[in-house]
Amino acid sequence: MLNMHPTPTLSHLKPADYQHVYEPAEDTFLFLDALEADVNFIISRSPVVSLEIGCGTGIITTFLQTLLTSHGIPLLSLTTDINPQACKATAATALSNRTSVDAIRTDLAFPLFPRMENGIDILLFNPPYVVTESEEVGSTGIEAAWAGGKDGREVVDRVLRLIPRMLSKNGIFYLVTIRENKPQEIMEYMSTTYNLRSDVVLSRKAGTEGLSILKFYYPA
Amino acid sequence: MRLITHNMLQCHAKGCDPSQSYPLELKEVQLESLDAEYSEDFIRRLIPKLDWNVLVHTAFALGVAELPKELPDVQDEAFLRKVHQVALETRVKEAQMVCNGCGHVYPIKDGVPNMLLQDNEV
């Protein structure tokens, strides 16, 4: 399908910034395409609050926000990143695209809970999904953007266990995976453990990466 | 960050008393205001996500606005616009957010709150 909604501008970021912050790549652009393809479903769930874990440049949340704005739907967007430069970049990206996103520096999303328990309507996560040694997981620099440990699942699995606390009844959780993350296994786990339905929104092969954007939601 | 985000953040340090970990107290605050597009429908849907008492108290303590202590039954446009102004147009540029439970200080710099704890604090 044609990508009709404009990709947010990142012209305020310079090559040197990408030494500290993950530069949007195929996985990012597939995520944007998936959100656009799913916009009617998103609108049908009447979202109020969105949260992105690991926002990097902020391009994904900024895109979602401007996409919904173009449909006349406001959204309160929060993002987190453990990397301070990513938080700074996200604030700048929102500003450059004339929208508002509040970036919070933290590990995952702990300071929002239990206060926001079951209060997140759209949860976005493009995780560190690359299969690496476990020792590489857990930095606060740019490595945090990709190092996923065993099966690329170590950070993903930490977040999966938090989903039932974070997601609202009408919420949607979007997750980027590669084949090595065993997306089918994740979908089965979320269904049997939390009664969350799932779909593959989009898949694309990018070089050696078999990328898929999954979504999870409670049945109506 | 906007004042609404303060309404959603809490202390998560190890051993902090959960009954005292929210709200965080704002100190040494530098505010700025930024226009945001008003949507009545959105504010109505946003209000249930707020901790109303905390918003009222924070807005008053910072001298931003006086909001009714109880959520009014009839929410007219003047009221909704005030909520919009407080929650979405008031930004905290610099501040210290202090936990009344354990005393942990979370700084806000350039509008970004640093909620990261050291390994021995989680």
Side-chain angles (χ1 to χ4, degrees):
Chain A
M1 98 170 227
L2 280 172
N3 196 337
M4 301 300 287
H5 188 71
T7 303
T9 174
L10 294 179
S11 57
H12 54 286
L13 297 175
K14 303 288 168 258
D17 291 314
Y18 294 122
Q19 292 175 16
H20 310 286
V21 180
Y22 182 74
E23 183 170 5
E26 285 299 327
D27 51 314
T28 320
F29 297 119
L30 186 65
F31 206 160
L32 303 189
D33 291 349
L35 291 172
E36 187 164 6
D38 219 29
V39 70
N40 289 331
F41 182 75
I42 293 172
I43 292 170
S44 77
R45 311 282 285 194
S46 305
V48 177
V49 178
S50 85
L51 171 66
E52 180 182 3
I53 296 176
C55 52
T57 58
I59 188 173
I60 294 167
T61 288
T62 299
F63 180 84
L64 175 67
Q65 175 104 11
T66 58
L67 174 68
L68 289 187
T69 301
S70 75
H71 287 263
I73 313 279
L75 188 70
L76 175 69
S77 295
L78 309 176
T79 70
T80 71
D81 208 295
I82 200 163
N83 174 350
Q85 318 234 37
C87 293
K88 208 175 139 195
T90 294
T93 298
L95 197 65
S96 295
N97 290 275
R98 296 180 195 184
T99 190
S100 288
V101 173
D102 285 354
I104 303 161
R105 185 180 183 209
T106 180
D107 181 24
L108 302 184
F110 295 111
L112 289 164
F113 298 93
R115 163 69 182 91
M116 289 300 288
E117 194 138 288
N118 301 121
I120 306 299
D121 303 310
I122 304 177
L123 187 63
L124 307 164
F125 190 30
N126 183 0
Y129 55 65
V130 177
V131 180
T132 64
E133 296 296 325
S134 291
E135 290 70 36
E136 290 176 58
V137 179
S139 102
T140 59
I142 193 169
E143 307 77 16
W146 68 75
K150 184 170 187 293
D151 295 332
R153 281 278 293 274
E154 293 187 23
V155 184
V156 174
D157 287 351
R158 286 179 71 207
V159 169
L160 295 183
R161 289 191 290 272
L162 300 172
I163 296 301
R165 289 186 68 194
M166 299 197 279
L167 210 58
S168 69
K169 259 199 317 231
N170 59 321
I172 320 167
F173 166 42
Y174 290 94
L175 176 70
V176 180
T177 62
I178 53 169
R179 202 183 310 102
E180 290 78 358
N181 303 149
K182 304 178 186 164
Q184 281 302 327
E185 186 187 284
I186 295 175
M187 291 164 88
E188 277 169 39
Y189 169 80
M190 297 300 270
S191 167
T192 54
T193 318
Y194 304 126
N195 190 33
L196 278 160
R197 219 174 256 184
S198 54
D199 297 313
V200 178
V201 185
L202 277 183
S203 288
R204 188 177 294 163
K205 200 160 186 309
T208 58
E209 285 187 343
L211 288 160
S212 292
I213 312 297
L214 313 182
K215 73 169 172 189
F216 301 87
Y217 53 99
Y218 293 108
Chain B
M1 62 172 220
R2 290 161 285 188
L3 219 46
I4 192 168
T5 299
H6 165 265
N7 199 269
M8 297 180 168
L9 289 172
Q10 63 170 97
C11 182
H12 58 118
K14 185 172 69 179
C16 182
D17 178 355
S19 69
Q20 298 290 317
S21 60
Y22 177 83
L24 298 167
E25 194 176 337
L26 282 164
K27 291 189 174 165
E28 295 165 51
V29 184
Q30 213 181 306
L31 295 176
E32 58 183 355
S33 62
L34 228 116
D35 288 343
E37 203 169 322
Y38 171 73
S39 159
E40 178 180 322
D41 170 65
F42 183 64
I43 296 298
R44 284 190 194 282
R45 293 189 294 121
L46 193 61
I47 285 173
K49 302 266 188 189
L50 296 170
D51 185 312
W52 184 251
N53 288 335
V54 169
L55 191 74
V56 172
H57 174 84
T58 308
F60 184 76
L62 299 180
V64 175
E66 221 169 309
L67 292 164
K69 283 210 163 53
E70 302 285 333
L71 258 181
D73 292 332
V74 180
Q75 301 174 354
D76 61 10
E77 188 181 335
F79 167 76
L80 294 169
R81 281 197 180 269
K82 207 178 228 184
V83 177
H84 170 82
Q85 179 226 327
V86 170
L88 299 178
E89 295 193 318
T90 308
R91 291 169 181 255
V92 184
K93 203 167 175 244
E94 309 279 327
Q96 309 280 330
M97 285 193 291
V98 183
C99 173
N100 286 320
C102 66
H104 195 97
V105 179
Y106 299 95
I108 302 174
K109 269 184 101 172
D110 250 342
V112 176
N114 182 358
M115 306 301 293
L116 196 64
L117 296 166
Q118 302 301 316
D119 284 344
N120 60 357
E121 295 170 330
V122 286

